């Protein structure tokens, strides 16, 4: 009953919505007809102009040639002498030039003198006297004549002396005519020139337009201007509006058929299912859901959706719980972050206050300063991890692929890390591969080193005694480099394996709390491995230790085999009274440099901005080394080195920066800095770099 009551409304809705389509169709139909008429008219007009221009162009060589011949003193003499031999050898040989079948000459009294005959035209004298009178008036004239052989194109010109002041206006000697027969060959030539079909028709022929072609009619007029015949030029009209009109008719028929189908479809397959949907939404009626599932198409799918509604509610509750857990993990991470930052800060502030405000012994003073130094390093490490993780999350890190000597890289890492574990009873071993890399590999060496350092230092951190090993193997078959880092430390509970690489989850234990940190090292390592196109896994048992495996793609740098380079020795010799320029705008940082170097035999010069640093370097050739702050006013460190390097390419310039990510280091290397040192400054590292590059310059004679 409800369906019958509402169906007329649906019917009215369908018809009212169709009005727009009908109006659109009528507008399109009208526009199509108007466009058809305009395009057809424009095409005919363009075709007429094109035919006229092509015919003029085709006749131009004859007009030029006849003008040259009739403006010739020898031709004037021929009219008097009637020397047939001269005519045959000169004018008579020009049939091919004119592409004509007849060349005729008349004297000033309009009497026939001679002609150049061809088999196509047998008549001797057929040019009317009236035609010569017309030629005399115009100088040169083109017209058409009907002769026994057919219709001929005639071009006539008055013959006159070359010094005739009146030129073509008053012929002094006679007349010269060039005749071309409009036979099949002539018409075929015109067809090729105009790219159209040509018909020669009677003068009274009437042109009837056709939709499939466009036509241009050219009247062939005699010397008096009377039409004796017509040329019809015909070309296919390639814009077929007729098909468009037929298509529009088909659209109308299809529209009404679809309208009828819509009425049926709307009643059976739309309105009734919608009625069931309304019942379900209003009452949750299970019978309505069952009937809805039995319908066809999308409404059956909607019925399934209603039936699955309870399951979806359960899934939503589960998702809500997971979201709350994620928020809780983030809150826990932030609380841990706050604790980890406050712990070294508390030590720094507390022991600094003790040094400043209490009487302490020299031993206590040294002990407090050691604690402050260690806490500062811990704080910097935490900040570095946070910055690196932030860059990873925001997709700001991209690989910087270079050629890497893998054996040298592993040896270098081994020697570097070995120095840091001298206070632990650990056997630290670099496992030699059974198949060393034959060539340099292509990868991001900075990120590869960071991955290995993170995994190895993590292994050392949780291993008080025993063994920590690392190494690699080449998998030529699968084109992979497989790295392994193994320790005999505490191990990780199997339930925590899935959380070990999660940045917001830290495996808490007495040892992890004791060693501190945010636990971001493994998360950063995993991100780096995936960035390089590899993957990372682990195996571990509590009390037996852990083994981390990661693989990256094997891609050799072409050409030469590698030679393993030994790790460089750090010994150096310092030269006397070397001049060092410190480009540093911060007074406290500069004071720190002064205090660090006060017992060294260096002469120090300061620049408070990048512009001043450039000026000092370019004006003082005795500068031996520059410590360049990256962030300075006027010109920053990158802008300053751009101006210094072209003038002093051998001057060592060491960047000092608060940024320590691999991307920042790569940017510093690309800028051309000799080396870099990060803030907060490490005194030993500072003097190691100064001694290294001052000694290098001394040995090189720079």
């Amino acid at each position: 009953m409800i369906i019958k009551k509402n169906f007329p409304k649906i019917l009215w809705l369908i018809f009212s919505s169709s009005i727009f389509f009908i109006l659109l169709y009528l507008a399109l139909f009208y526009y199509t007809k108007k466009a058809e008429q305009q395009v057809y008219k424009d095409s005919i007009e363009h075709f007429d102009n094109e035919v006229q221009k092509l015919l003029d162009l085709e006749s131009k060589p004859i007009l030029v040639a006849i003008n040259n011949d009739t403006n010739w003193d020898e031709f004037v003499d021929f009219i008097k002498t009637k020397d047939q031999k001269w005519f045959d050898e000169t004018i008579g040989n020009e049939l091919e030039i004119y592409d004509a079948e007849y060349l005729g000459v008349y004297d000033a009294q309009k009497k026939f003198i001679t002609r150049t005959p061809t088999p196509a035209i047998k008549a001797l004298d057929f040019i009317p006297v009236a035609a010569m009178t017309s030629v005399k008036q115009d100088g040169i004239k083109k017209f058409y004549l009907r002769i026994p052989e057919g219709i001929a194109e005639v071009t006539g010109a008055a013959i006159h002396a070359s010094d005739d002041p009146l030129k073509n206006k008053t012929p002094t000697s006679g007349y010269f005519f060039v005749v071309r027969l409009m036979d099949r060959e002539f018409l075929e030539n015109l067809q090729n020139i105009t790219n159209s079909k040509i018909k020669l028709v009677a003068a009274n022929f009437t042109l009837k337009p056709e939709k499939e072609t466009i036509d241009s009619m050219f009247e062939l007029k005699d010397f008096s201007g009377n039409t004796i015949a017509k040329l019809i030029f015909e070309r296919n009209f390639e814009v077929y509006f007729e098909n468009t009109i037929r298509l529009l008719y088909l659209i109308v028929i299809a529209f009404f058929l679809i309208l009828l189908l819509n009425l049926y479809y709307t009643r059976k397959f739309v309105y009734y299912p919608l009625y069931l949907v309304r019942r379900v939404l209003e009452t949750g009626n299970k019978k309505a859901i069952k009937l809805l599932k039995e319908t066809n198409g999308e409404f059956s799918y909607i019925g399934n959706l209603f039936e699955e509604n309870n399951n979806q509610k359960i899934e939503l509750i589960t998702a809500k719980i997971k979201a709350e857990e994620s928020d809780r993990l983030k809150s826990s991470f932030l609380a841990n972050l706050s604790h980890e930052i406050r712990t070294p800060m508390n030590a720094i502030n507390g022991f600094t206050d003790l040094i400043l405000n209490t009487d302490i012994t020299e031993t206590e003073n040294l002990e407090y300063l050691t604690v402050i130094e260690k806490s500062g390093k811990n704080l910097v490490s935490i900040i570095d991890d946070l910055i690196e993780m932030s860059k990873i999350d925001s997709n700001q890190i991209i690989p910087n692929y270079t050629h890497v000597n893998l054996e040298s890289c592993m040896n270098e890492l081994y020697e570097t890390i070995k120095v840091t574990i001298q206070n632990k009873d650990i056997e630290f071993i670099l496992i030699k591969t059974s198949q060393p890399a034959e060539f340099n590999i292509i990868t991001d060496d900075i990120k590869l080193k960071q991955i290995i350092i993170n995994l190895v230092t993590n292994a050392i951190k949780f291993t008080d005694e025993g063994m920590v090993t690392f190494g690699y193997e080449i998998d030529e078959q699968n084109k992979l480099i497989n790295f392994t880092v193994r320790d005999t430390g505490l191990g990780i509970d199997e339930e925590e394996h899935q959380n070990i690489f999660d940045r917001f989850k830290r495996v808490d234990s007495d040892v992890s709390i004791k060693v501190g940190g945010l636990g971001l090292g493994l998360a950063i390592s995993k991100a780096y491995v995936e960035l390089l196109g590899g993957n990372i896994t682990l195996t571990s048992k509590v009390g037996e230790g852990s083994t981390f495996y990661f693989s990256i793609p094997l891609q050799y740098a072409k050409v030469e085999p590698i030679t393993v380079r030994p790790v460089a020795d750090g010994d150096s010799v310092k030269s006397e009274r070397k001049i060092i320029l410190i480009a540093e705008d911060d007074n406290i940082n500069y004071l720190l440099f002064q205090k660090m170097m006060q017992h060294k035999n260096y002469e120090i010069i300061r620049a408070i901005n990048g512009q001043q640093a450039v000026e000092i370097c370019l004006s003082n050739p005795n500068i031996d080394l520059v410590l360049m702050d990256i962030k300075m006013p006027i010109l920053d460190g990158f802008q300053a080195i751009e101006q210094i390097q072209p003038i002093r390419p051998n001057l060592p310039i060491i960047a000092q920066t608060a940024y320590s990510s691999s991307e920042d280091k790569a940017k510093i290397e690309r800028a051309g800095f000799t080396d870099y040192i990060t803030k907060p400054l490490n005194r030993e590292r500072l003097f190691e770099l100064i001694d290294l590059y001052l000694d290098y310059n001394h040995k090189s004679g720079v």
Side-chain angles (χ1 to χ4, degrees), residues 298-311:
E298 293 297 319
F299 288 106
S300 175
Y301 177 69
I302 292 173
N304 291 328
L305 291 179
F306 280 128
E307 191 174 55
E308 294 172 1
N309 184 52
N310 289 334
N311 294 333

Side-chain angles (χ1 to χ4, degrees), residues 114 131 277 310 318 320 363 472 496 512 536 563 584 599 656:
T114 187
V277 169
N310 289 334
T318 304
K320 181 175 179 290
T363 302
Y472 77 92
E496 299 289 351
S512 63
I536 185 169
T563 319
E584 174 62 69
H599 300 300
Q656 41 165 321

